[in-house]
Amino acid sequence: MHSPLPAHQTKHLPTLTYPFIHSAFHLAQSSNGTSHGTALWLGAQLLSAYLAAEFKDVHSRSTTRPRAVELGSGIGLTALALASLGYDVLATDTAYVCNSVLLRNIKTNLPSLPPTCAGTVQVRELDWLVSSDMWNWSDPSSVTSPTQSNEAPKMSGIEDTLRPPFDLIVSSDTLYDESLLDPFFTTLQALCTQGRDSTSSTPAKYPLILIALERRDPALISAALARAPISLVQVPTKKLKKALDRSGIRWDGADWDGVEIWRGVGRL
């Protein structure tokens, strides 16, 4: 398969054919200025390559499928990558992004994922400005703007809507606006704590958190990382370069300069 181009070289394209391991995702995108979330960004590209390198055997490590939730799924690259690796994924974004590109891309690509190991993807709206006290995990369309009916068709073919606790929480290209930093981390914190039984004698299993970002505004990114409710550690650049190489992505350093992945454990 061909090496995908960096996202900043493909913003003008309405559709992308994106290779991932033994699959090729066909992704619609829009860069019309209405929303940042309807186009591909570098963080999602780097995160999907890192996942392919570090999590490729996840389907063989457990008798049950691990569960992941993504904050700001955009056009769906990372969600599809996780499903390819064996995760059941809850892909979330604003209602506009879900309805304009995300739902369509998931529906288009799910049937083509490897049948022996692939998980599934559910798509739902998750508005970071809505208090977690108001979340509804039973609604198949939106966690934060519940519909009047729960009879909407399910994306995934599995019986229940995915809900906490999650094994993995991921996000990419979402730390770019000062006004969204606190809502983002409040949502992240709620996802880490919901669904965990504090009275159980079984040791709690905390979710792994992966955040990919692009350091366009260094001061903003530094402020964002300082506000994180958990301890985050940067993944070494050498490891990310190896992940790109193993994914067949042949980029110069300048092509992804300033893109980072930070990881932590949701132990609050």
Side-chain angles (χ1 to χ4, degrees):
M1 292 188 183
H2 67 278
S3 172
L5 294 171
H8 52 266
Q9 296 183 19
T10 62
K11 288 284 193 291
H12 63 290
L13 299 175
T15 57
L16 303 169
T17 299
Y18 200 96
F20 183 79
I21 308 182
H22 301 302
S23 301
F25 304 144
H26 302 284
L27 303 171
Q29 67 168 358
S30 172
S31 188
N32 58 14
T34 303
S35 170
H36 290 282
T38 56
L40 182 65
W41 294 88
L42 283 170
Q45 292 185 280
L46 198 65
L47 182 56
S48 63
Y50 178 73
L51 290 167
E54 298 292 318
F55 295 81
K56 63 180 180 179
D57 297 322
V58 68
H59 64 277
S60 63
R61 299 177 195 166
S62 174
T63 56
T64 59
R65 289 199 182 281
R67 290 184 290 184
V69 59
E70 182 178 19
L71 295 175
S73 293
I75 68 171
L77 172 60
T78 305
L80 289 166
L82 282 167
S84 296
L85 295 168
Y87 281 88
D88 285 332
V89 185
L90 174 57
T92 72
D93 216 305
T94 65
Y96 177 80
V97 173
C98 289
N99 293 327
S100 59
V101 291
L102 181 56
L103 272 165
R104 185 186 357 162
N105 286 340
I106 298 304
K107 285 181 178 179
T108 297
N109 291 281
L110 266 186
S112 302
L113 298 186
T116 57
C117 62
T120 189
V121 183
Q122 296 178 1
V123 175
R124 274 179 274 170
E125 176 193 8
L126 179 55
D127 185 342
W128 305 342
L129 298 178
V130 175
S131 170
S132 60
D133 294 338
M134 303 296 293
W135 292 1
N136 179 0
W137 291 106
S138 297
D139 191 291
S141 301
S142 174
V143 176
T144 49
S145 297
T147 58
Q148 295 299 311
S149 170
N150 282 346
E151 298 303 317
K154 292 182 173 60
M155 285 289 306
S156 59
I158 64 175
E159 183 177 352
D160 298 321
T161 52
L162 290 171
R163 63 191 66 208
F166 293 100
D167 302 286
L168 177 65
I169 303 173
V170 299
S171 189
S172 63
D173 309 298
T174 45
L175 301 180
Y176 60 87
D177 186 326
E178 167 71 28
S179 66
L180 294 177
L181 298 185
D182 287 338
F184 172 83
F185 284 122
T186 298
T187 301
L188 177 67
Q189 185 169 6
L191 288 170
C192 289
T193 57
Q194 285 198 7
R196 302 193 180 277
D197 185 359
S198 60
T199 65
S200 173
S201 59
T202 304
K205 182 181 179 183
Y206 300 100
L208 174 66
I209 296 168
L210 297 173
I211 299 175
L213 56 86
E214 190 169 352
R215 201 174 278 273
R216 303 182 195 89
D217 182 339
L220 176 67
I221 294 302
S222 295
L225 294 171
R227 292 188 204 179
I230 63 165
S231 177
L232 295 169
V233 177
Q234 186 177 355
V235 176
T237 301
K238 282 186 177 181
K239 179 167 277 193
L240 298 182
K241 179 63 169 65
K242 287 182 179 179
L244 289 174
D245 290 342
R246 291 171 65 179
S247 294
I249 298 177
R250 309 302 181 197
W251 293 348
D252 294 331
D255 289 328
W256 57 289
D257 183 49
V259 184
E260 303 167 359
I261 294 178
W262 291 72
R263 63 183 289 162
V265 177
R267 186 184 294 108
L268 299 170

